[in-house]
Amino acid sequence: MSGNQPSAVSYRLFSDYHTHPQGHRVQPYTLALLQPWADSARVRGLADIAFTDHDRYHKGIDFDELDRLREKNPDLRIRAGIELDNDPVHSAAGREWIEKHWDRLDFVLGSVHFLDRADQMFDSVPNGAAQFEGRDVDTIYLDYFRRVRDIAASGIVDCLAHIDLVKIHGHRPRAEIGSIVNETLDFVRTRNLAIELSTAGWRKPVNELYPSDRIIELSIEKGIPFTIASDAHSHAQLAENFPRLAQKMATFGVRNVCTFEKHQRVVHPVCPGPLL
Ligand SMILES: [Zn+2]
Ligand SMILES: [Zn+2]
């Protein structure tokens, strides 16, 4: 089914829980940096957004500046978050920073961006695809999901980002990897974590939502809650493809979206409504 077909039922989506105001470098939080994100959220009908810059740029995050942004935008819920990954160089410092600032953070995403190479995220497009060349894809998938379980076990994440990111360049496992995915999702459930529905996959070579339809079905069966996310690296990408996401959610009967405040999960029923 094409996600672009009109659907009889859709939802009004109001949150985006994966955004990168700093992009890919340290840019200290200021009102000048952040206000365009608030403006963009409002234009797109969002009421609740989380800033989740990469942990290696934690030096740019300023909680006082976020408080000023909240004061200026009382109609929006603005969450302090971060995306912790498995960067072999920087993540130890990131983890330490998260533990130190846990009480001022609302939300921590956990991600796997690194496989064997310490110097390159495998999800760099297009260069990261070279990490798959000449390798057994099934082995890479097993290794990837093992790393996902490690980050889920860290005890300092609330939600897992793009849980099947390993498909980004379009590599598909040859064997049935259902059991490793199933085990990973059971583990996510045991740890009481959420996972995200991320539209970012639609702008990558794989051109597919994160996660796949099968993972969405399994997650629903297991009662794993969902956040919704664009992984925006520019305020112009906020809520990107959310009308298409709303159709997908309607197709699968996903009727709840969760948000976080000081790591407390709040489940919201989504309301039927017009596409944005
Ligand atoms: Zn990520
Ligand atoms: Zn991200």
Side-chain angles (χ1 to χ4, degrees):
M1 182 193 123
S2 162
N4 291 322
Q5 295 302 313
S7 155
V9 184
S10 194
Y11 300 136
R12 210 172 59 76
L13 302 180
F14 64 90
S15 59
D16 189 337
Y17 266 54
H18 191 153
T19 69
H20 293 276
Q22 298 187 81
H24 278 141
R25 61 196 160 103
V26 172
Q27 295 189 74
Y29 280 12
T30 59
L31 282 182
L33 181 76
L34 301 175
Q35 184 59 46
W37 289 77
D39 295 340
S40 179
R42 199 172 285 115
V43 166
R44 287 164 172 76
L46 299 178
D48 194 328
I49 57 171
F51 295 137
T52 56
D53 273 305
H54 291 289
D55 67 89
R56 58 190 148 283
Y57 310 128
H58 67 257
K59 285 192 174 73
I61 299 172
D62 183 329
F63 295 105
D64 296 331
E65 226 28 47
L66 283 174
D67 281 342
R68 277 188 275 280
L69 185 71
R70 290 171 177 130
E71 268 167 41
K72 281 196 67 182
N73 300 274
D75 55 323
L76 300 176
R77 300 278 187 166
I78 298 168
R79 315 297 189 181
I82 192 160
E83 180 179 7
L84 173 71
D85 72 7
N86 64 331
D87 182 333
V89 177
H90 299 99
S91 286
R95 259 194 296 274
E96 225 170 86
W97 186 89
I98 289 167
E99 283 166 6
K100 188 169 166 203
H101 297 282
W102 183 255
D103 291 344
R104 293 197 82 176
L105 283 164
D106 292 297
F107 181 61
V108 181
L109 276 173
S111 301
V112 172
H113 296 128
F114 292 85
L115 296 171
D116 286 342
R117 278 185 60 171
D119 62 333
Q120 185 193 58
M121 294 162 79
F122 75 82
D123 59 313
S124 317
V125 176
N127 295 346
Q131 293 189 37
F132 293 73
E133 274 167 27
R135 303 271 316 275
D136 178 57
V137 175
D138 295 358
T139 306
I140 295 181
Y141 266 69
L142 293 175
D143 178 42
Y144 170 82
F145 280 104
R146 181 183 59 75
R147 293 170 191 266
V148 170
R149 282 200 302 257
D150 286 348
I151 197 94
S154 67
I156 53 167
V157 300
D158 300 301
C159 176
L160 296 176
H162 43 60
I163 196 167
D164 60 351
L165 183 67
V166 66
K167 71 185 178 186
I168 183 169
H169 303 291
H171 301 89
R172 299 292 186 175
R174 283 176 295 109
E176 177 53 57
I177 57 140
S179 64
I180 179 91
V181 170
N182 205 38
E183 279 167 34
T184 305
L185 293 175
D186 281 340
F187 189 71
V188 168
R189 183 71 194 99
T190 308
R191 304 297 301 211
N192 195 22
L193 303 177
I195 66 171
E196 67 176 20
L197 300 176
S198 168
T199 62
W202 278 322
R203 60 174 186 265
K204 302 296 181 175
V206 68
N207 190 20
E208 182 180 283
L209 187 81
Y210 302 126
S212 66
D213 289 358
R214 183 65 189 134
I215 293 180
I216 295 173
E217 284 168 356
L218 285 170
S219 302
I220 293 169
E221 273 172 35
K222 294 175 195 297
I224 296 171
F226 299 107
T227 62
I228 51 174
S230 66
D231 207 343
H233 281 66
S234 145
H235 55 79
Q237 274 177 336
L238 207 56
E240 186 178 69
N241 276 321
F242 269 26
R244 190 175 172 188
L245 174 61
Q247 289 179 1
K248 182 80 136 178
M249 291 167 65
T251 304
F252 281 88
V254 177
R255 295 196 180 82
N256 296 302
V257 164
C258 61
T259 60
F260 285 81
E261 179 163 2
K262 296 282 186 255
H263 312 285
Q264 293 302 307
R265 190 165 73 216
V266 182
V267 177
H268 307 262
V270 281
C271 305
L275 298 181
L276 293 173

Short mmCIF file of all heavy atoms in Angstrom, two decimals, residues 18 54 83 111 113 123 162 231, ligand 1:
data_model
loop_
_atom_site.label_atom_id
_atom_site.label_comp_id
_atom_site.label_asym_id
_atom_site.label_seq_id
_atom_site.Cartn_x
_atom_site.Cartn_y
_atom_site.Cartn_z
N HIS A 18 12.09 13.70 18.54
CA HIS A 18 13.46 13.43 18.10
C HIS A 18 13.87 14.58 17.18
O HIS A 18 13.50 14.60 16.01
CB HIS A 18 13.52 12.09 17.38
CG HIS A 18 14.92 11.60 17.12
ND1 HIS A 18 15.23 10.26 17.00
CD2 HIS A 18 16.10 12.27 16.94
CE1 HIS A 18 16.53 10.12 16.78
NE2 HIS A 18 17.08 11.34 16.73
N HIS A 54 22.56 15.02 19.83
CA HIS A 54 23.48 13.91 20.08
C HIS A 54 24.29 14.15 21.35
O HIS A 54 24.71 15.28 21.62
CB HIS A 54 24.44 13.75 18.90
CG HIS A 54 23.76 13.27 17.65
ND1 HIS A 54 23.29 11.98 17.51
CD2 HIS A 54 23.46 13.89 16.49
CE1 HIS A 54 22.74 11.84 16.31
NE2 HIS A 54 22.83 12.99 15.66
N GLU A 83 20.04 12.41 22.76
CA GLU A 83 20.14 11.10 22.09
C GLU A 83 21.49 10.49 22.45
O GLU A 83 22.53 10.94 21.98
CB GLU A 83 19.99 11.26 20.56
CG GLU A 83 20.09 9.93 19.81
CD GLU A 83 19.92 10.05 18.29
OE1 GLU A 83 19.86 11.20 17.78
OE2 GLU A 83 19.86 9.00 17.62
N SER A 111 20.31 5.00 21.06
CA SER A 111 20.52 4.71 19.64
C SER A 111 21.77 3.90 19.42
O SER A 111 22.72 4.00 20.19
CB SER A 111 20.74 6.00 18.84
OG SER A 111 19.67 6.86 18.95
N HIS A 113 24.49 3.81 16.49
CA HIS A 113 25.00 4.40 15.24
C HIS A 113 26.33 3.79 14.81
O HIS A 113 26.84 4.12 13.76
CB HIS A 113 25.23 5.91 15.40
CG HIS A 113 24.00 6.72 15.67
ND1 HIS A 113 23.89 7.60 16.71
CD2 HIS A 113 22.81 6.78 15.01
CE1 HIS A 113 22.69 8.17 16.68
NE2 HIS A 113 22.02 7.70 15.67
N ASP A 123 25.37 4.85 9.72
CA ASP A 123 24.21 5.44 9.05
C ASP A 123 24.56 6.73 8.31
O ASP A 123 23.67 7.46 7.89
CB ASP A 123 23.07 5.69 10.05
CG ASP A 123 23.46 6.61 11.19
OD1 ASP A 123 24.55 6.40 11.78
OD2 ASP A 123 22.70 7.54 11.49
N HIS A 162 14.80 4.91 16.20
CA HIS A 162 15.00 4.16 14.93
C HIS A 162 15.55 2.75 15.17
O HIS A 162 16.68 2.44 14.82
CB HIS A 162 15.88 4.94 13.97
CG HIS A 162 17.11 5.61 14.55
ND1 HIS A 162 18.11 4.90 15.18
CD2 HIS A 162 17.50 6.90 14.60
CE1 HIS A 162 19.06 5.73 15.58
NE2 HIS A 162 18.71 6.96 15.25
N ASP A 231 13.20 13.08 13.61
CA ASP A 231 14.68 13.15 13.61
C ASP A 231 15.14 14.38 12.82
O ASP A 231 16.13 14.33 12.08
CB ASP A 231 15.28 11.87 13.03
CG ASP A 231 16.68 11.56 13.56
OD1 ASP A 231 17.33 12.46 14.12
OD2 ASP A 231 17.13 10.41 13.38
ZN ZN B 1 20.06 8.61 15.54
#
